[in-house]
Amino acid sequence: MDRPIVVVLPAAGVGSRMQADKPKQYLALLGKTLLEHTLDIMLTHTAISKIILVVSKDDPYIANLSLSPKIQLVEGGETRAESVLNGLNAICDKNAWVLVHDAARPCLQHTDIDKLLAIDDEQGAILAIPVTDTIKRSDNQQRIVVTEDRSLLWQAQTPQFFQVECLKKALSTALQQGLQITDEASAMEHAGFRPHLVAGRSDNLKVTRPEDLALAEFYLTRNKL
């Protein structure tokens, strides 16, 4: 499979749930920012030719980082979907495939990237983990309505892997229609695609709340042993 692999890394969010004095991607972890850990994963994978880093227009922190020539900065949008679309529009090669990854997932392993890159199907693929907890569906008063069949449920992760032009069209159409787009796969689903679910590692966590930092530090320390 001879296809250019580009990463789009949306990092324009403010991370309000972290209750920190700066966006979560710039919080310190083991001597680096979260964003630097995530970038290192992508920069050291030999199949990745370029990284599109999407940041907010007036980001005061990005200038403090020493960025590789493989990284191109792009201005973000009002939402994650708009930021990802801006990143896709910066990719010149229409034959490229794109890995869209959360900037706040610093524990991703190369082996999980390899699993995605092995998918050769226009439907694309995402990393995900099978749900192991019992899942309840509630009504609007937070009372249990039903217990879901967890054997068919997965928790979506990133990266999410799609042909760049397909994803660009799907995101553009979804945004024009005012659809609720929570990840790239949801845009592709609305466009009629059925992306593959590729089982990933549970330690590929997204740092969202303050307690997640300690867990990310544990995983990063263990993975370096």
Side-chain angles (χ1 to χ4, degrees):
M1 292 177 288
D2 185 17
R3 52 188 176 177
I5 306 298
V6 180
V7 170
V8 168
L9 207 65
V14 297
S16 57
R17 281 176 287 183
M18 282 300 295
Q19 303 167 18
D21 61 352
K22 62 184 69 173
K24 62 185 176 183
Q25 59 268 27
Y26 294 112
L27 295 177
L29 186 63
L30 298 174
K32 295 181 181 179
T33 63
L34 276 178
L35 178 57
E36 287 174 301
H37 283 288
T38 305
L39 286 170
D40 284 349
I41 296 163
M42 302 304 183
L43 288 168
T44 53
H45 195 289
T46 56
I48 294 169
S49 59
K50 188 173 185 178
I51 299 169
I52 307 293
L53 178 58
V54 187
V55 297
S56 61
K57 180 179 180 180
D58 300 314
D59 187 323
Y61 305 101
I62 192 66
N64 298 325
L65 304 186
S66 178
L67 298 179
S68 163
K70 287 177 67 173
I71 299 172
Q72 177 183 346
L73 293 180
V74 171
E75 185 178 316
E78 292 296 317
T79 65
R80 175 199 167 89
E82 291 172 349
S83 290
V84 171
L85 186 56
N86 288 355
L88 296 174
N89 286 332
I91 299 174
C92 299
D93 191 337
K94 296 184 183 299
N95 297 315
W97 279 65
V98 62
L99 290 161
V100 182
H101 186 57
D102 297 321
R105 287 188 190 269
C107 304
L108 176 67
Q109 297 287 299
H110 281 183
T111 51
D112 273 358
I113 296 177
D114 293 339
K115 289 180 185 178
L116 285 177
L117 298 185
I119 299 295
D120 185 18
D121 187 326
E122 66 174 4
Q123 306 295 323
I126 71 169
L127 281 185
I129 54 175
V131 168
T132 56
D133 293 329
T134 298
I135 301 296
K136 308 289 187 181
R137 183 183 298 276
S138 74
D139 60 18
N140 56 14
Q141 295 181 314
Q142 297 183 349
R143 295 176 301 196
I144 295 173
V145 173
V146 67
T147 299
E148 300 286 359
D149 178 5
R150 67 184 178 192
S151 68
L152 300 176
L153 298 178
W154 294 67
Q155 180 180 330
Q157 298 182 326
T158 67
Q160 303 199 353
F161 184 53
F162 300 105
Q163 202 285 324
V164 64
E165 292 298 311
C166 288
L167 180 56
K168 188 188 301 186
K169 182 178 180 181
L171 272 176
S172 297
T173 301
L175 288 171
Q176 289 168 7
Q177 294 177 352
L179 299 175
Q180 182 71 19
I181 300 301
T182 55
D183 67 351
E184 292 67 51
S186 60
M188 294 291 285
E189 292 161 40
H190 283 299
F193 292 86
R194 293 293 175 260
H196 294 268
L197 291 161
V198 175
R201 295 168 55 109
S202 60
D203 56 4
N204 180 24
L205 85 163
K206 184 178 181 181
V207 176
T208 304
R209 297 176 175 85
E211 59 267 28
D212 295 333
L213 272 177
L215 191 53
E217 180 174 344
F218 168 75
Y219 285 144
L220 285 170
T221 302
R222 185 189 66 177
N223 290 337
K224 291 177 180 178
L225 296 177

